Amino acid sequence: MSDDRLDAVLAYIDGELPESLSRLFALLGIESISTDPAHAGDVAAAADWLAADLSSIGFEASARETDGHPMVVAHDRSAAGCPHVLFYGHYDVQPVDPLSLWSRAPFAPAVIEEDGRKVIFGRGASDDKGQLMTFVEACRAWKTVTGSLPIRVSMMLEGEEESGSKSLEPFMKANRDELAADLAFICDTDMWDRETPAITTMLRGLVGEEIVVTAASRDLHSGMYGGAARNPIHVLVDILDGLRDETGRVTLPGFYDGVGELPAEIAEQWKALGFDEKAFLGAVGLSVPAGEVDRAVLEKIWARPTAEVNGITGGYTGDGFKTVIPAKASAKISFRLVDRQDPDAIRDAFRTYVRSKIPADCSVEFIPHGGSPGLRLSTDIPALKATRGALEAEWGRPCVFQGSGGSIPVAGSFREILGTDVLMVGFAQDDDRIHSPNEKYDLASFHGGIRSWARILGALAEKG
Amino acid sequence: MSDDRLDAVLAYIDGELPESLSRLFALLGIESISTDPAHAGDVAAAADWLAADLSSIGFEASARETDGHPMVVAHDRSAAGCPHVLFYGHYDVQPVDPLSLWSRAPFAPAVIEEDGRKVIFGRGASDDKGQLMTFVEACRAWKTVTGSLPIRVSMMLEGEEESGSKSLEPFMKANRDELAADLAFICDTDMWDRETPAITTMLRGLVGEEIVVTAASRDLHSGMYGGAARNPIHVLVDILDGLRDETGRVTLPGFYDGVGELPAEIAEQWKALGFDEKAFLGAVGLSVPAGEVDRAVLEKIWARPTAEVNGITGGYTGDGFKTVIPAKASAKISFRLVDRQDPDAIRDAFRTYVRSKIPADCSVEFIPHGGSPGLRLSTDIPALKATRGALEAEWGRPCVFQGSGGSIPVAGSFREILGTDVLMVGFAQDDDRIHSPNEKYDLASFHGGIRSWARILGALAEKG
């Protein structure tokens, strides 16, 4: 690999940026909300768009049927060289409600100025359409400038990441041979800060569970029945309030089984990062850390498990007042898992706990919403050094090994089903407002991300 | 007062029943739905009908303007004698949707057979046109047979009871002198059962309050922030769960101030009623009484205060799952009050308690939704004995002093604004389906109700 070829690729990327952006805008304009059945056609349209775009740069690409939304699979065999990398991203997005909190239309992307920086505004700009397009654009640059990729590349782009990834594992199992690779890249992670690249080596897992508590056979008038009839909202708040003790620890028996303390090396690196807890919380209007009282904020969000209520509803929630004792009340609860916590054991412990709190004449329904273990990557993967070097060359700063509080269930699946090592590299910022109104992606993330992947592809060819 | 005169009045009532019914049908045929602006003309027509009917029997009657629907006020001064009673009822009705659930047209009243009994079918038959016409017909009978009423009678008939009674208190305050009386009767209550008359001597009051807890300045991703950022749903469930202790008692300091134990006489009477707790709860699919552990169901719903969550919402409540830590969570809470509990003091105690549970960087907004004290009528009101005796004479059974879990705010207004004692006497049954499709009023309630009022008017003249 000559430096000249890489320089030419990087120069092409710089000049092509406006066209790269308009392709991203085309994808961002598609309302691929995977949780909402009304948008199934849009999700399929996004898959078709990606397959067509990848075909146009020489990938053998198609949107493949699953029981849910399509999986886009693409292969480029222009390079015989090793290693063979499998790239993962997702093209579905989160819902946009409440729409009234968006300052612009969520599916009419634009580059706007924010705090003196150019940002790409729109649902999915950061999570994950913008991130996955950094890789696609890097491939396009290599192919356009040199006629081929420096290494063999496959892609698997999912359409159900924001709705539980139900088809993902069955698809990987059914297509194990086709998807086999030496290394997998997952792109929906972030940088340490705007200047400092990072490889994410620690991920939290997730157990999602919805409970519906039913008491009376119909809604009751609280004048006629209040004081004698069971109120399912009361049952529910008792259950939810009992999930954590006064020190912020989760009370489920066995919940902390498999949760190790941080390795000393990582603990020291994190301490050295000089993470500003006040600034982190202050950016979202908070100042008092919640959760476990004896842990640092960075440890809490990267390396500690949680029990969080993500949604609750029951009774009359419209304007005004209605003196009703509702028949039902429900909540959506998620547990973030770390290290060797077992998702199945935690779901079981939760259900046992909930059942123990349900009065004899009430009932509870459990609706599972996915489960995946946490992940702690080994830092001695051979490709790690090349990737880290490429990132440091692009950003001019040491690359951080970081944790991530979010869950990327596919990371575990790559290791378990395909047997590949996984590197998580992304360029998001923690103020991207993913899953919230006014999502954005820094233009510098998009541009620097494309350049970073171009360098990584080149560096892996040299190492391979 | 000679028994002969009363006997003649009662005989007249029996013979006049067909005509009494056709007058009631005329009133029931008017679609006086007060919540629906499209029916404002019908509401006014019902007021005019009543004013005309009362004028026809010698009342000085008129439909008086308010900021909302008219108030019908009528005075009869044919008797100089004491006491002067003020009768209250309402001529507006609930909406009728869903119309498809009605077995006949709601505003085409008819006497039909139901479970072997004759019932008056139609919207408003029980709530409250049928009830108020029992009193009007009793007055008509006295005036027709004897030329005058045995006591002085005024009436105040409201047209906004089903839509918030906004004009009621201003009207009472503005016409305090004109409405002054020795005693007020309120007629929208029920009998203990079909054979047993009742005077409602206990009503619960109501304090409604909505709280909105705000934590972060925007919705957060629970992966990125979970474990360190405050979740307002957690704050809310902690607040709500802490409102009641494990014995079902409300924990607010001072909450039970002014709550007396049941007078022994009432407690014994209620015990003797043989109330079937299992049947009461079983009818709505419940079997385990909720609330205070050491109280009977009848006492809980009639004579004990409550803290009830009537609505709760926060985070993602749609289909599927969203791993969000919301910025806000809210709940609507109502307190049913009894005896001498002070609504203002209870609202204050609740707000103080809530504020004590709000973390330093969170905020709470309070939205009040009305407040009215409970009512416990003294059983030594002079007129009570006469009324009770009249009811027992008519029905041939001891008259029950009962409670009502619901609130009738006008009862408190009579005492506070007009300074009158209040007796609540009505002839509805608990299967009348008020506020629901297929509302009815037993023909026996209508007939026996007219006869009962005729006796009460006579008895009060004797006592007066």
Side-chain angles (χ1 to χ4, degrees), chain B residues 208-336:
Chain B
E209 186 86 349
E210 184 170 352
I211 59 175
V212 184
V213 177
T214 301
S217 52
R218 61 174 174 84
D219 287 0
L220 304 175
H221 185 278
S222 78
M224 203 171 292
Y225 289 90
R230 189 71 57 182
N231 185 330
I233 302 177
H234 298 187
V235 176
L236 191 63
V237 300
D238 176 45
I239 288 168
L240 299 177
D241 193 43
L243 269 180
R244 292 162 308 278
D245 68 17
E246 65 281 3
T247 71
R249 277 176 71 88
V250 177
T251 55
L252 297 180
F255 184 76
Y256 291 93
D257 288 356
V259 179
E261 288 299 319
L262 275 186
E265 180 204 5
I266 299 279
E268 269 166 46
Q269 200 199 13
W270 287 3
K271 211 168 170 184
L273 290 173
F275 178 73
D276 187 341
E277 299 192 348
K278 277 206 172 123
F280 175 76
L281 292 174
V284 294
L286 296 172
S287 61
V288 184
E292 293 176 277
V293 294
D294 52 350
R295 304 282 173 174
V297 166
L298 205 56
E299 186 180 3
K300 288 182 191 182
I301 60 175
W302 280 359
R304 297 296 299 175
T306 67
E308 204 82 48
V309 185
N310 302 110
I312 187 167
T313 186
Y316 182 70
T317 59
D319 284 342
F321 210 90
K322 199 168 160 181
T323 51
V324 65
I325 299 178
K328 287 175 194 292
S330 66
K332 297 178 202 270
I333 299 104
S334 64
F335 300 93
R336 297 276 168 185

Side-chain angles (χ1 to χ4, degrees), chain B residues 334-353:
Chain B
S334 64
F335 300 93
R336 297 276 168 185
L337 308 187
V338 302
D339 212 358
R340 294 174 311 282
Q341 279 179 299
D342 176 354
D344 295 333
I346 294 212
R347 194 187 302 279
D348 286 350
F350 175 66
R351 291 183 175 188
T352 301
Y353 162 75

Side-chain angles (χ1 to χ4, degrees), chain A residues 240-279:
Chain A
L240 299 177
D241 193 42
L243 269 179
R244 293 163 307 279
D245 68 17
E246 66 281 2
T247 71
R249 278 175 71 90
V250 176
T251 55
L252 297 180
F255 184 76
Y256 291 93
D257 289 355
V259 180
E261 290 298 319
L262 275 187
E265 180 203 7
I266 297 280
E268 271 165 45
Q269 201 202 8
W270 288 3
K271 210 168 172 186
L273 288 174
F275 178 73
D276 186 341
E277 299 193 349
K278 277 206 172 120

